Amino acid sequence: MNKIKLLDILTGKSVWENYQTYNITQWYSKEEMQKFQLNKLKLLLQHCNENIPYYQRIITKQGIDIEKIDSLDVLKQFPILTKEIIQANYDDFIPKNQNSIRGVKLGQTGGTTGNILFKRNDANSRSSAWGSAKRAEDWMGLNLPKKTLILMGGHVKKTSLLNRLTTKALELLSNNVKVDIYDTSNKTLETAINLLKSNKFSRIRAYPQFLFSIALKLEELEISFFVDSIYTTAEPLMPEHRALFKKVFNAEVFDQYGCGEIGGLAYECEKHEGLHITEEHVIVEQNNSNELIITDLDNYTMPFIRYWNADQAIISEKNCSCGRKSQLITQIMGRTCDYITGINGQYLHWAYFWHLIFDSDIAKNRNVKKFQIVQENNDRILVRLIADTLTEDEERFLITDIQKRIGKVNISIAYEDHIENSKTGKYRPVINHMLNL
Ligand SMILES: [Zn+2]
């Protein structure tokens, strides 16, 4: 029995089944895919009509007869859904049959898109998302055993010794070496460069911005490597990142895209002509500003129908030369990743602050609705929160953890009623005035 099947049995998911289905559906024509989506959409709307008050009201008001739906155009009758609407009507999004939905998990999402939202997903939606991610791993050649260097942020919360040892053992078994890029005490940049020099890695998995800083350093030192593939996650991969990675690492670069509410939803194939949208899992529309409006076809515990996620993207009408007909995202725009720069030369990016606030349970215990970290100058950082007042211990924890990583800068915490978006309407979790962004 393979590992995915075994995990499915243990966790009540159906990743393997979805993976197998999606291996077939990836070659569907546009018409076949629309039929596939329509089937799923009708089932979802049926569920919404029976169980979810927010959608029941819309379906009744619009006079939608679900049995008679014969086109995806029915979506146009649903208003755009925003985080604010969900927050204001939270109870009306809880299904009446919640107890009979398998594997419901509650999570929080904030990320780059705005207010913090309590989201839910279920075994069905996770299976679909993982099934498509597994398929993308085949596209990227990730299922071949290769030595991988992982440059990503770990959890801020302290894990047990057993947990750390297990992780280490798994890494050794899997041939992977992981460098925690939040752990700046170890001079991470040098560690990563030394690792690259001393080991023959076939693959690098990284946050693009951090790998970019390494690549810049290597370019300056006129050192280059031969790596098979680089795959990036969590932040947008910019054209300049891709170009430098090709130059310094001589590698094939793969990007992917997802959002906190829905998870991974587009992956790059071996032809590198864009990111294939997982149309089996989501229906993606765009508004006049090219912002994405997403319908998740698999999440029954919190259906997102026409959810506006505020990311701007360019979607190409062209078909990819790989033969798959799914829509291609050729560019994600408008997500600026700011950094806080430390007096010790280290820096911290938004995902670190997200982990800091969420993993420590401060978000949950103090009802954090939104946060923003502002670097005013070299040694002044302001932590802005829309939240209940933190205890002294919690405040000290935040300040100490940040100082531990970037040096003894002055950090103050401000409680706000409102945190404004940028001029373009985007929420910015980190603003660094020194970078003049
Ligand atoms: Zn393709």
Side-chain angles (χ1 to χ4, degrees):
M1 189 182 292
N2 70 45
K3 215 164 67 185
I4 308 175
K5 270 192 193 168
L6 182 65
L7 275 172
D8 277 351
I9 292 169
L10 293 174
T11 60
K13 288 204 290 291
S14 49
V15 178
W16 182 252
E17 194 188 314
N18 278 290
Y19 166 69
Q20 284 187 309
T21 305
Y22 296 170
N23 270 332
I24 298 167
T25 54
Q26 64 181 328
W27 304 110
Y28 270 9
S29 67
K30 284 201 182 296
E31 293 72 30
E32 285 172 318
M33 185 53 75
Q34 278 173 12
K35 240 187 224 171
F36 184 94
Q37 291 178 319
L38 188 61
N39 273 336
K40 270 194 166 179
L41 182 64
K42 281 171 81 169
L43 289 171
L44 178 70
L45 292 181
Q46 194 70 50
H47 162 71
C48 288
N49 194 32
E50 284 164 11
N51 298 298
I52 301 182
Y54 173 81
Y55 291 116
Q56 279 171 335
R57 286 199 294 273
I58 296 168
I59 291 167
T60 308
K61 189 174 155 221
Q62 300 286 8
I64 298 168
D65 183 345
I66 292 161
E67 290 288 312
K68 290 190 181 149
I69 295 172
D70 58 4
S71 150
L72 297 172
D73 287 345
V74 69
L75 280 176
K76 300 271 183 279
Q77 297 188 52
F78 287 80
I80 303 297
L81 181 64
T82 62
K83 270 200 172 94
E84 289 72 22
I85 292 175
I86 298 174
Q87 279 168 337
N89 299 274
Y90 192 77
D91 289 345
D92 281 354
F93 280 89
I94 299 173
K96 289 179 199 157
N97 66 338
Q98 178 80 308
N99 291 337
S100 61
I101 298 177
R102 280 190 307 127
V104 173
K105 274 192 184 166
L106 183 68
Q108 295 158 310
T109 175
T112 53
T113 51
N115 291 329
I116 284 156
L117 178 76
F118 284 92
K119 57 159 190 179
R120 291 184 301 278
N121 63 29
D122 51 36
N124 197 35
S125 54
R126 291 195 298 278
S127 301
S128 178
W130 280 111
S132 64
K134 285 275 156 217
R135 177 178 67 181
E137 287 181 6
D138 292 341
W139 299 351
M140 299 187 264
L142 293 188
N143 294 325
L144 308 167
K146 285 182 179 178
K147 194 162 189 174
T148 305
L149 176 63
I150 302 174
L151 303 169
M152 286 164 62
H155 290 274
V156 171
K157 194 152 76 173
K158 284 210 173 3
T159 48
S160 69
L161 180 65
L162 181 66
N163 197 318
R164 290 201 300 277
L165 287 173
T166 316
T167 312
K168 200 87 219 153
L170 281 173
E171 273 172 26
L172 287 172
L173 280 174
S174 65
N175 231 355
N176 295 342
V177 177
K178 190 173 176 194
V179 177
D180 183 354
I181 68 165
Y182 298 155
D183 186 10
T184 50
S185 56
N186 291 342
K187 299 198 170 162
T188 325
L189 195 67
E190 281 159 52
T191 311
I193 290 176
N194 287 336
L195 269 170
L196 275 165
K197 281 184 188 164
S198 58
N199 289 274
K200 284 198 181 332
F201 288 101
S202 310
R203 210 151 48 202
I204 300 174
R205 180 175 165 86
Y207 292 159
Q209 192 66 35
F210 182 71
L211 189 61
F212 188 66
S213 59
I214 291 178
L216 282 174
K217 190 90 196 154
L218 291 170
E219 191 189 31
E220 194 187 304
L221 299 170
E222 294 182 6
I223 301 172
S224 64
F225 294 96
F226 285 87
V227 175
D228 292 349
S229 55
I230 289 174
Y231 54 114
T232 61
T233 184
E235 301 167 350
L237 176 75
M238 304 311 228
E240 63 270 26
H241 296 162
R242 196 185 279 270
L244 191 64
F245 296 166
K246 278 191 179 157
K247 185 178 168 198
V248 173
F249 298 106
N250 295 285
E252 204 177 347
V253 183
F254 291 93
D255 190 16
Q256 50 185 279
Y257 170 71
C259 67
E261 297 78 9
I262 292 160
L265 56 91
Y267 299 90
E268 189 166 340
C269 78
E270 67 280 4
K271 296 289 182 188
H272 308 286
E273 291 169 25
L275 280 63
H276 285 277
I277 293 176
T278 309
E279 293 178 336
E280 297 90 339
H281 179 43
V282 290
I283 295 174
V284 175
E285 305 169 76
Q286 287 183 291
N287 65 12
N288 292 336
S289 314
N290 287 328
E291 288 155 349
L292 300 178
I293 294 161
I294 303 169
T295 298
D296 180 332
L297 294 166
D298 296 295
N299 190 346
Y300 276 49
T301 182
M302 190 166 205
F304 289 102
I305 296 179
R306 303 197 86 200
Y307 180 69
W308 174 71
N309 89 342
D311 283 343
Q312 278 179 310
I314 294 176
I315 297 182
S316 162
E317 288 308 313
K318 277 195 203 139
N319 284 332
C320 184
S321 63
C322 69
R324 298 177 185 95
K325 301 288 187 292
S326 48
Q327 291 169 294
L328 290 175
I329 296 180
T330 50
Q331 201 187 335
I332 300 281
M333 305 173 296
R335 288 206 297 183
T336 48
C337 283
D338 288 4
Y339 287 79
I340 296 296
T341 42
I343 45 177
N344 58 358
Q346 300 292 344
Y347 62 84
L348 292 172
H349 78 352
W350 69 265
Y352 157 75
F353 294 101
W354 194 91
H355 277 298
L356 180 65
I357 291 168
F358 280 85
D359 292 349
S360 61
D361 287 339
I362 288 175
K364 196 167 96 206
N365 296 339
R366 299 294 154 236
N367 193 22
V368 178
K369 292 200 170 67
K370 205 168 180 177
F371 73 87
Q372 187 173 60
I373 316 295
V374 183
Q375 179 154 27
E376 294 166 339
N377 56 43
N378 198 21
D379 71 344
R380 266 214 92 67
I381 286 168
L382 179 66
V383 178
R384 304 176 73 199
L385 295 171
I386 302 179
D388 301 340
T389 309
L390 273 56
T391 63
E392 267 179 40
D393 279 353
E394 286 166 338
E395 288 200 356
R396 198 175 318 121
F397 166 79
L398 283 188
I399 291 169
T400 317
D401 204 277
I402 298 170
Q403 285 177 337
K404 201 168 76 196
R405 290 160 206 277
I406 57 168
K408 286 241 178 256
V409 293
N410 291 304
I411 299 169
S412 41
I413 297 178
Y415 296 94
E416 311 275 7
D417 294 324
H418 179 68
I419 292 176
E420 63 290 347
N421 287 337
S422 70
K423 282 192 199 105
T424 58
K426 295 284 184 302
Y427 159 65
R428 292 171 69 188
V430 171
I431 293 178
N432 186 339
H433 288 307
M434 290 162 64
L435 299 177
N436 205 16
L437 286 164

